[in-house]
Amino acid sequence: DVKVTQSSRYLVKRTGEKVFLECVQDMDHENMFWYRQDPGLGLRLIYFSYDVKMKEKGDIPEGYSVSREKKERFSLILESASTNQTSMYLCASDRGGAGPKWADTQYFGPGTRLTVL
Amino acid sequence: AQKITQTQPGMFVQEKEAVTLDCTYDTSDPSYGLFWYKQPSSGEMIFLIYQGSYDQQNATEGRYSLNFQKARKSANLVISASQLGDSAMYFCAMRETRSGGSNYKLTFGKGTLLTVNP
């Protein structure tokens, strides 16, 4: 079974703090993703990575950065947290590599509920 | 226009009965994948079932089946013999074929909240 873990289920931070959200997958997946989920807005892609040290912006990258130093680990960084970044953050991974990308299943972690005060 | 439309914000079903959750999609790509996920109140997004655009038969996975009608662009999820543990949000999602980075993305619908009554 695919296992995607996230470092925290709940996190409370103050405005202006630097926040790190960590995600680890154990299936040797090429691709990893960070989404945020907000009521009424659904899931939106923040960033994704298709290889170590490779990243691409998603739909809403402003205010975020990412790091992928090892294949199994993908970090989301809020450089200076703001209240509008209070949200549920979901990490996902998929097999990637050769083959049709539209057929790849993304597997999600348990999510991190971040509150910025 | 929305890529994925789930018209039922909420659904109720009696335990042991079957329920259908609706999903319509919009794409001009010939190759795409359709996915259903379950999200309980705990927050984790759990993969349920996948249907490819070229698949001739409807996908099935245990109590879950996907009623795929390509010409109508619909991919409804059918849950048979509902259980109390099926109470959750259900999301339909699509992955398309595009050049560049955007083909990596899953596009989600807004979800349907299913409540199973005893």
Side-chain angles (χ1 to χ4, degrees), chain B residues 51-65:
Chain B
Q51 181 86 43
S53 59
Y54 297 111
D55 293 344
Q56 296 293 313
Q57 297 203 344
N58 287 339
T60 60
E61 196 70 51
R63 293 187 299 112
Y64 304 109
S65 59

Side-chain angles (χ1 to χ4, degrees), chain A residues 9 31 33 35 37 40 43 45 48 50 56 59 88 90 94 101-110 113, chain B residues 31-33 35 37 39 41-45 47 50 54 91 95-97 101 103-106 108 110:
Chain A
R9 293 300 300 272
N31 300 330
F33 306 81
Y35 293 85
Q37 184 179 21
L43 276 87
L45 181 65
F48 68 94
Y50 52 91
E56 283 202 28
D59 298 321
M88 172 71 143
L90 290 160
D94 72 38
K101 291 175 175 51
W102 46 269
D104 268 350
T105 298
Q106 286 188 17
Y107 295 92
F108 285 79
R113 294 185 191 273
Chain B
S31 305
Y32 53 89
F35 303 81
Y37 288 86
Q39 189 177 40
S41 56
S42 59
E44 184 174 1
M45 196 72 75
F47 166 68
Y50 161 80
Y54 297 111
F91 292 93
R95 209 160 185 184
E96 299 170 275
T97 308
N103 65 357
Y104 289 89
K105 184 176 72 171
L106 267 178
F108 284 83
K110 295 289 174 68

Side-chain angles (χ1 to χ4, degrees), chain A residues 23-52:
Chain A
C23 175
V24 177
Q25 50 91 6
D26 68 354
M27 283 302 293
D28 201 34
H29 281 176
E30 300 281 338
N31 300 330
M32 296 187 75
F33 306 81
W34 277 106
Y35 293 85
R36 66 177 280 177
Q37 184 179 21
D38 301 287
L41 297 176
L43 276 87
R44 294 176 291 169
L45 181 65
I46 304 171
Y47 266 99
F48 68 94
S49 168
Y50 52 91
D51 201 351
V52 174

Side-chain angles (χ1 to χ4, degrees), chain B residues 17-39:
Chain B
E17 291 185 353
V19 63
T20 298
L21 306 183
D22 295 341
C23 172
T24 57
Y25 59 92
D26 181 26
T27 182
S28 56
D29 291 342
S31 305
Y32 53 89
L34 296 158
F35 303 81
W36 277 91
Y37 288 86
K38 171 185 178 181
Q39 189 177 40

Side-chain angles (χ1 to χ4, degrees), chain A residues 3-71:
Chain A
K3 188 75 172 176
V4 181
T5 58
Q6 294 182 229
S7 50
S8 306
R9 293 300 300 272
Y10 300 92
L11 209 53
V12 179
K13 295 293 182 181
R14 298 240 175 242
T15 303
E17 279 192 77
K18 191 168 186 176
V19 181
F20 292 86
L21 303 183
E22 305 282 339
C23 175
V24 177
Q25 50 91 6
D26 68 354
M27 283 302 293
D28 201 34
H29 281 176
E30 300 281 338
N31 300 330
M32 296 187 75
F33 306 81
W34 277 106
Y35 293 85
R36 66 177 280 177
Q37 184 179 21
D38 301 287
L41 297 176
L43 276 87
R44 294 176 291 169
L45 181 65
I46 304 171
Y47 266 99
F48 68 94
S49 168
Y50 52 91
D51 201 351
V52 174
K53 297 191 186 295
M54 306 303 288
K55 61 188 180 186
E56 283 202 28
K57 295 179 180 179
D59 298 321
I60 51 164
E62 297 78 19
Y64 303 94
S65 62
V66 289
S67 171
R68 193 166 179 201
E69 297 295 321
K70 293 185 177 181
K71 191 174 185 179

